[in-house]
């Protein structure tokens, strides 16, 4: 894994945008994430697009997850979030923006269709990821199968509490979701996980320096051949080997 420790959340976003820009400009298939963390990266990508530095023409996007039962028009549906925070502001064909269907009558069939759509697109070239305070990626909560595919999951109460800030109250947060699995995520060509803030420091220490374990689903990055973790100093604050990760970055071969 490449561990990049940045001075500030803004610097995390700039570094993430630098990586994503290369993919976007070649019309790649991008795995996109919701939550607060990637928003600054999306702002930076939109800024670069508006400045004419970057095009999403020919790109495809696949979101990680979606709430079950939330109408897509709801402002907190991930359909709305991805469209409002990113895709509506750039030159991607709306037909090429894919979100798991949390309203399918047959959720299992909808999840299988989503897996197939990713395969039909030739796979995801780069998957952007946040991390939950409990180590989840996508909505793969602790105890998720490390080889799971897109399926319905039940949120952990901590995730419901964490996401209550987006809703009027915790009771309004849907408990069920559909999410790409840990096996789905591992098939992406590159994984790019971002984290900022002290509240992510424990999860980042488990991801980077803990065991490979379903107790920390993000630890699957340890067995991915091309995983990049970009964190700010606060999210890096519980890592034992910070100096070494910085040393590696300072001595990166040209
Ligand atoms: P956050 O969520 O970016 O809002 O902290 C990340 C996640 O739960 O995966």
């Amino acid at each position: 894994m490449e561990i990049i420790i940045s001075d500030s959340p803004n610097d995390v976003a700039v570094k993430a945008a630098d990586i994503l820009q290369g993919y976007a400009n070649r019309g790649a298939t991008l795995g996109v994430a919701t939550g607060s963390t990637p928003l600054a990266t999306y702002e930076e990508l939109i800024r670069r697009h508006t400045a004419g530095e970057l095009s999403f023409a020919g790109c495809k996007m696949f979101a990680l997850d979606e709430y079950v039962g939330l109408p897509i028009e709801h402002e907190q549906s991930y359909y709305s979030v991805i469209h409002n925070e990113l895709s509506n502001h750039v030159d991607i064909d709306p037909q090429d923006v894919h979100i798991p269907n949390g309203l399918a009558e047959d959720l299992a069939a909808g999840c299988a269709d989503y897996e197939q759509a990713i395969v039909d697109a030739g796979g995801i070239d780069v998957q952007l990821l946040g991390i939950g305070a409990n180590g989840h990626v996508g909505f793969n909560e602790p105890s998720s199968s490390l080889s799971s595919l897109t399926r319905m999951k039940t949120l952990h109460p901590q995730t419901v509490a964490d996401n209550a800030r987006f809703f009027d109250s915790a009771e309004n947060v849907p408990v069920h979701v559909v999410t790409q699995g840990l096996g789905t995520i591992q098939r992406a060509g590159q994984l790019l996980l971002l984290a900022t803030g002290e509240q992510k420091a424990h999860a980042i220490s488990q991801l980077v320096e803990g065991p490979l374990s379903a107790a920390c689903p993000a630890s699957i990055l340890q067995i991915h051949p091309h995983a990049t973790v970009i964190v700010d100093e606060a999210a890096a604050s519980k890592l034992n080997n910070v100096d070494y990760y910085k040393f590696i970055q300072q001595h990166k071969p040209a």
Side-chain angles (χ1 to χ4, degrees):
M1 281 183 293
E2 184 176 19
I3 318 295
I4 302 174
I5 300 166
S6 292
D7 293 338
S8 67
N10 186 55
D11 196 41
V12 170
V14 169
K15 289 196 168 89
D18 288 346
I19 292 172
L20 293 169
Q21 175 162 349
Y23 283 100
N25 277 335
R26 63 178 172 83
T29 297
L30 311 170
V32 289
T34 52
S36 310
T37 311
L39 294 179
T41 301
Y42 296 156
E43 275 174 35
E44 178 63 12
L45 290 170
I46 293 164
R47 189 194 66 71
R48 293 183 192 189
H49 170 67
T50 309
E53 296 165 19
L54 144 70
S55 170
F56 287 83
C59 284
K60 295 183 173 66
M61 285 181 192
F62 284 89
L64 275 171
D65 43 21
E66 178 61 285
Y67 290 111
V68 167
L70 208 58
I72 60 171
E73 312 80 47
H74 191 290
E75 63 172 15
Q76 291 306 329
S77 78
Y78 289 168
Y79 180 97
S80 290
V81 172
I82 292 296
H83 284 81
N84 294 338
E85 303 295 346
L86 180 60
S87 66
N88 286 352
H89 305 282
V90 299
D91 57 342
I92 189 168
D93 184 336
Q95 301 234 30
D96 288 326
V97 180
H98 303 270
I99 317 286
N101 184 358
L103 297 169
E105 221 163 275
D106 182 343
L107 284 173
C111 290
D113 290 348
Y114 198 70
E115 282 291 325
Q116 191 57 46
I118 294 173
V119 171
D120 292 346
I124 290 171
D125 294 306
V126 60
Q127 177 65 58
L128 187 62
L129 298 165
I131 184 169
N134 65 3
H136 73 213
V137 282
F139 274 139
N140 295 281
E141 300 285 26
S143 80
S144 289
S145 156
L146 300 185
S147 54
S148 48
L149 301 179
T150 304
R151 71 231 183 276
M152 193 185 85
K153 288 290 289 177
T154 304
L155 292 182
H156 190 284
Q158 183 177 347
T159 306
V160 173
D162 286 348
N163 287 1
R165 68 191 193 279
F166 296 117
F167 291 82
D168 293 337
S169 72
E171 292 81 67
N172 292 335
V173 182
V175 169
H176 295 118
V177 295
V178 283
T179 181
Q180 284 187 36
L182 296 173
T184 319
I185 291 168
Q186 284 179 85
R187 291 176 184 162
Q190 180 176 3
L191 301 182
L192 177 57
L193 186 142
L194 312 181
T196 59
E198 206 276 328
Q199 73 281 10
K200 298 294 173 67
H202 176 70
I204 288 296
S205 81
Q206 290 301 299
L207 147 61
V208 176
E209 296 174 345
L212 170 66
S213 167
C216 177
S219 64
I220 57 154
L221 270 73
Q222 295 179 11
I223 51 168
H224 193 280
H226 192 184
T228 306
V229 177
I230 310 181
V231 291
D232 68 355
E233 293 278 355
S237 62
K238 292 199 168 124
L239 290 171
N240 291 322
N241 287 314
V242 167
D243 291 345
Y244 177 51
Y245 308 136
K246 289 184 176 173
F247 182 85
I248 294 171
Q249 290 302 312
Q250 284 156 6
H251 294 81
K252 239 177 136 168

